[in-house]
Amino acid sequence: MMKKPLSKLAVPLLALPRTAKRLIAISVDLCLCILSVWLAFYLRLGDFVYLSGNTLLAALASVGIALPIFVTSGLYRAIFRYSGLPALLTVARAVAIYGLIYACVFTAVGIPEVPRTIGIIQPILLLLAIGTSRAVAHAWFGGQYQSIVKRGKRPKVLIYGAGQTGRQLATAMTNSVEMAVIGFIDDDERLHGHVLNGMPIYNPGDLPSLVPTLNIDTVLLAMPGIGRKRRNEILAEIRTAHVSVRTLPSMTDLAQGKLSISDLRDLDIDDLLGREPVSPNHILLIKNVKDKVVLVTGAGGSIGSELCRQILAIGPEKLLLIEQSEFALYAIHQELETKLAGRDIKLVPLLAAVQERNRMREIMGAWKPHTVYHAAAYKHVPLVEHNPAAGIKNNVLGTLTTAQAAADHGVADFVLISTDKAVRPTNIMGASKRMAEMVLQALAAVTTSTRFTMVRFGNVLGSSGSVVPKFRQQIRDGGPITLTHPDITRYFMTIPEAAQLVIQAGAMAGSGGNVFVLDMGQPVKIIDLARRMIELSGLSLKDEKHPEGDIDIQITSLRPGEKLYEELLIGDNPMPTQHQRIMKAREDFIAWSELQPKLAKLEAALDANDVGVIRAMMLQLVSGYAPHEHIVDWVYLEQGTAGLEECVLHGAA
């Protein structure tokens, strides 16, 4: 109980000038000299005496002898909070010198009315008192001083929003060792110049001048209820001040418990997308999921795992998780287990590759799922470009195998997660995804038991291998940010929004064979995204105009198969649906009777890794496919190099 008041008392004492601190120490020692004489009389006589006459002389003599010795011995040059054994030895030497002189006067010579033993008892008491005072000062001030130093070095922050959330955040951060709140910013002009909880409220327009004046490091955005448009306007204002921005979760997340500093997070780039998320259509959400057996392939991936989270929240009867990566399957299964909260939903983690025909048939036959969300795919453009056979096998033949197993076992709805890179593709990944779409379109025309649906959308923010986490790490490492081309442009959507729309689009299948396209909003130039990320990290862009900046952007070159711009539609005939963010397109495809034998030939070429035939067949099958002029398959290149070396050796022989 006493610790907190003592700590508060230590703060003003430590803030005093050094001269004042020395005067306080001398005053304390003066009092200890008099007190030790008074106690010495008590120990000798057994009664408390009133200091007068020669007894008072004994006390004054103690002060007159001790203080000059203590000053010349350097006792008041020591910093008490750092006092250790050397300081205590100095005290002992000084008191020893004092004791000899005091004993000579009051024990050897003697003074009337003062017992001779006082000259021995009092120096011993004074040594104990002075030593104890130094030890107490060390214990009391030492830790408090370190705490003050640490607090003084804390980054200074302003809270944007002086409402209830901002006040709660400021209260939660009162004793934080991570950062120090020194004021608020608020849009309400009536609050400007006022004081809240002892801290001033500033005008947001003054932020650029406040940052250098107050040495502001970070702005905490404590307005979780505002719309995305207003949030973007605020972020645009903050960017000009070159400070780091951290924010709070949504009001829905905060409603679960009391606000704390741990709720703060780095600003997500989805805050910059510039559009409000649309409320889901709950009828569409639950149609193919609620109380049904649902299967998700690629359950450990970025989209697959988010699909699993949202499906679990809706409430299926069983959720089957298919994943070929053991760790990814373990991670998502453990996460979902913690979210069950006693609900009667069965989670089934299944290790399997979608290309394994027998394994997929076993799984479909054992559980007979109602809905399948096929998210398993190789999606990293450069990797698939360098490993085309593996990419096509997984993305095309894996889709075919899974779809046929689903159709054979009465799956009602099969939903493929596709990509905007399937539109007029320039790379194997995009071409393979378009081929996967064509497989389902062809199957939909000849299959009545299963509705096959494709959902096509662009990049998702924060997915594995995507540009945002890469840029974020490069900024943490001090740069540079690497970009393949200054004009490269992409569509972006958050992972939760994409997964939610996939579930809703899958429920609008109708007779099947539809390609649904998600409204991705406006495309974003990647170089602009990089600049925003730098500025909202509190750093500045380093370029020719600003050579003193923090992070520079280095332009490399387009990678094999990489496009400057992505498209979402092959044709120009999108049709609206009952959801404002989902469009529908019926695009040309090859009939199953014609496609099936060509797929068999493609599979044979893949098994032989005949790269030339693979490329020729993909060009024939996928309309608009315009690959990179050179084959960059690693195995093909290595074999070519080895063959060339062998020819050179034979020629030399």
Side-chain angles (χ1 to χ4, degrees):
M1 294 292 290
M2 289 293 292
K3 188 174 180 181
K4 208 163 188 179
L6 287 174
S7 297
K8 288 183 177 180
L9 180 61
V11 174
L13 289 176
L14 286 168
L16 291 173
R18 185 167 297 280
T19 302
K21 294 175 185 175
R22 286 176 177 171
L23 289 174
I24 291 173
I26 291 172
S27 300
V28 169
D29 288 350
L30 184 152
C31 294
L32 291 177
C33 288
I34 297 172
L35 179 64
S36 60
V37 170
W38 187 56
L39 288 174
F41 273 101
Y42 172 76
L43 292 174
R44 172 66 180 80
L45 302 176
D47 288 314
F48 289 110
V49 299
Y50 182 73
L51 296 179
S52 62
N54 285 344
T55 57
L56 178 60
L57 177 65
L60 295 176
S62 175
V63 173
I65 296 169
L67 292 185
I69 293 173
F70 290 174
V71 170
T72 56
S73 297
L75 259 64
Y76 303 113
R77 291 197 300 271
I79 301 175
F80 292 173
R81 61 176 175 271
Y82 295 137
S83 297
L85 182 60
L88 292 177
L89 291 175
T90 301
V91 170
R93 283 195 297 268
V95 175
I97 295 170
Y98 159 82
L100 286 173
I101 298 173
Y102 195 79
C104 286
V105 174
F106 290 97
T107 301
V109 176
I111 299 294
E113 300 179 14
V114 179
R116 293 179 182 273
T117 51
I118 294 296
I120 297 172
I121 296 172
Q122 192 272 342
I124 295 173
L125 292 176
L126 184 61
L127 175 63
L128 293 173
I130 298 291
T132 301
S133 70
R134 286 352 183 225
V136 169
H138 172 70
W140 183 19
F141 293 117
Q144 189 65 32
Y145 179 77
Q146 293 300 325
S147 175
I148 291 172
V149 169
K150 287 180 181 177
R151 288 175 182 270
K153 292 181 178 178
R154 292 178 301 171
K156 294 180 175 63
V157 303
L158 292 173
I159 295 177
Y160 201 120
Q164 182 179 358
T165 304
R167 294 195 299 271
Q168 288 180 359
L169 180 59
T171 302
M173 296 177 65
T174 302
N175 297 313
S176 169
V177 296
E178 297 177 25
M179 52 187 75
V181 179
I182 63 169
F184 295 89
I185 306 173
D186 200 275
D187 297 327
D188 191 342
E189 295 181 359
R190 295 170 298 177
L191 299 177
H192 299 163
H194 290 261
V195 175
L196 178 62
N197 293 342
M199 291 177 285
I201 302 174
Y202 298 104
N203 185 335
D206 297 334
L207 184 60
S209 60
L210 291 173
V211 169
T213 304
L214 302 178
N215 197 24
I216 303 299
D217 182 78
T218 304
V219 171
L220 308 179
L221 195 56
M223 303 174 73
I226 61 172
R228 182 164 284 164
K229 182 180 178 182
R230 178 57 189 144
R231 180 181 289 252
N232 288 347
E233 293 171 354
I234 291 172
L235 292 175
E237 293 176 11
I238 296 175
R239 281 172 58 196
T240 61
H242 298 294
V243 289
S244 177
V245 182
R246 298 180 74 184
T247 186
L248 289 165
S250 66
M251 290 301 293
T252 304
D253 296 329
L254 292 178
Q256 303 303 318
K258 188 177 179 181
L259 178 63
S260 71
I261 189 172
S262 62
D263 291 314
L264 286 168
R265 56 177 172 78
D266 289 335
L267 189 72
D268 283 340
I269 305 303
D270 60 333
D271 291 318
L272 305 175
L273 286 182
R275 62 175 189 176
E276 296 287 350
V278 174
S279 299
N281 183 324
H282 290 283
I283 296 175
L284 293 176
L285 272 182
I286 69 174
K287 182 180 177 183
N288 290 343
V289 173
K290 183 70 173 174
D291 298 327
K292 291 180 170 63
V293 179
V294 182
L295 183 152
V296 178
T297 68
S302 303
I303 293 294
S305 59
E306 182 61 28
L307 279 170
C308 291
R309 294 182 193 103
Q310 297 203 23
I311 289 167
L312 188 71
I314 295 169
E317 178 188 336
K318 293 186 182 73
L319 179 54
L320 312 178
L321 316 173
I322 291 185
E323 176 59 60
Q324 65 176 342
S325 166
E326 180 187 32
F327 176 75
L329 180 62
Y330 170 80
I332 187 61
H333 181 241
Q334 291 299 305
E335 178 189 335
L336 297 179
E337 282 278 7
T338 62
K339 296 181 178 181
L340 280 178
R343 292 191 295 166
D344 188 22
I345 300 173
K346 187 174 182 181
L347 291 175
V348 185
L350 297 160
L351 280 169
V354 292
Q355 302 171 51
E356 298 174 350
R357 185 173 286 105
N358 291 338
R359 178 67 168 156
M360 296 308 297
R361 289 182 180 277
E362 286 174 354
I363 292 171
M364 299 286 185
W367 281 279
K368 293 182 172 53
H370 178 277
T371 307
V372 171
Y373 294 98
H374 183 52
Y378 290 150
K379 64 176 184 176
H380 195 271
V381 170
L383 280 178
V384 176
E385 200 68 15
H386 289 295
N387 301 272
I392 295 170
K393 280 183 179 180
N394 192 66
N395 295 356
V396 179
L397 300 184
T399 299
L400 174 62
T401 297
T402 308
Q404 288 178 326
D408 291 345
H409 292 90
V411 170
D413 285 280
F414 186 102
V415 183
L416 169 70
I417 311 301
S418 191
T419 170
D420 57 357
K421 294 174 179 61
V423 178
R424 283 177 276 277
T426 59
N427 51 68
I428 288 291
M429 196 284 279
S432 65
K433 292 299 284 185
R434 177 57 191 143
M435 273 291 298
E437 291 180 356
M438 291 167 62
V439 165
L440 294 193
Q441 287 176 295
L443 287 176
V446 297
T447 305
T448 57
S449 60
T450 302
R451 289 184 292 271
F452 292 104
T453 303
M454 295 124 276
V455 184
R456 188 188 291 161
F457 53 92
N459 295 31
V460 286
L461 288 165
S463 65
S464 59
S466 71
V467 69
V468 171
K470 177 185 175 183
F471 284 176
R472 199 187 297 277
Q473 187 58 50
Q474 288 177 332
I475 291 171
R476 289 195 192 104
D477 294 339
I481 285 180
T482 55
L483 186 62
T484 58
H485 196 283
D487 295 327
I488 199 161
T489 304
R490 292 290 181 266
Y491 289 98
F492 283 104
M493 179 179 283
T494 65
I495 295 177
E497 185 180 10
Q500 198 174 76
L501 289 172
V502 164
I503 295 172
Q504 294 173 84
M508 296 190 291
S511 58
N514 291 312
V515 177
F516 290 102
V517 180
L518 303 188
D519 175 9
M520 301 291 292
Q522 294 299 314
V524 177
K525 287 191 73 170
I526 303 301
I527 195 167
D528 292 339
L529 186 64
R531 288 181 181 131
R532 290 178 209 167
M533 291 182 68
I534 292 171
E535 291 165 355
L536 290 171
S537 297
L539 304 171
S540 59
L541 177 66
K542 183 178 181 180
D543 55 20
E544 292 180 359
K545 295 181 180 179
H546 307 92
E548 74 288 349
D550 302 304
I551 306 288
D552 64 325
I553 298 175
Q554 290 185 359
I555 305 299
T556 55
S557 62
L558 286 174
R559 297 169 295 184
E562 190 172 24
K563 296 171 71 173
L564 280 180
Y565 310 99
E566 300 291 359
E567 304 167 271
L568 288 167
L569 290 166
I570 296 174
D572 56 358
N573 58 340
M575 294 176 287
T577 67
Q578 61 197 90
H579 195 291
Q580 67 185 86
R581 286 280 169 83
I582 303 173
M583 298 177 290
K584 182 170 66 173
R586 292 199 65 91
E587 296 178 342
D588 295 336
F589 62 94
I590 301 173
W592 178 246
S593 58
E594 183 183 347
L595 182 62
Q596 187 177 21
K598 291 182 178 180
L599 287 173
K601 289 180 181 179
L602 178 62
E603 185 172 4
L606 291 168
D607 290 339
N609 197 33
D610 192 331
V611 182
V613 173
I614 293 170
R615 171 176 281 212
M617 293 200 68
M618 294 299 287
L619 281 166
Q620 178 189 3
L621 292 170
V622 180
S623 176
Y625 176 38
H628 191 269
E629 59 180 357
H630 301 296
I631 295 175
V632 294
D633 176 89
W634 290 127
V635 176
Y636 173 83
L637 294 176
E638 183 63 24
Q639 288 173 338
T641 303
L644 180 60
E645 290 174 352
E646 189 175 345
C647 289
V648 171
L649 289 173
H650 281 300

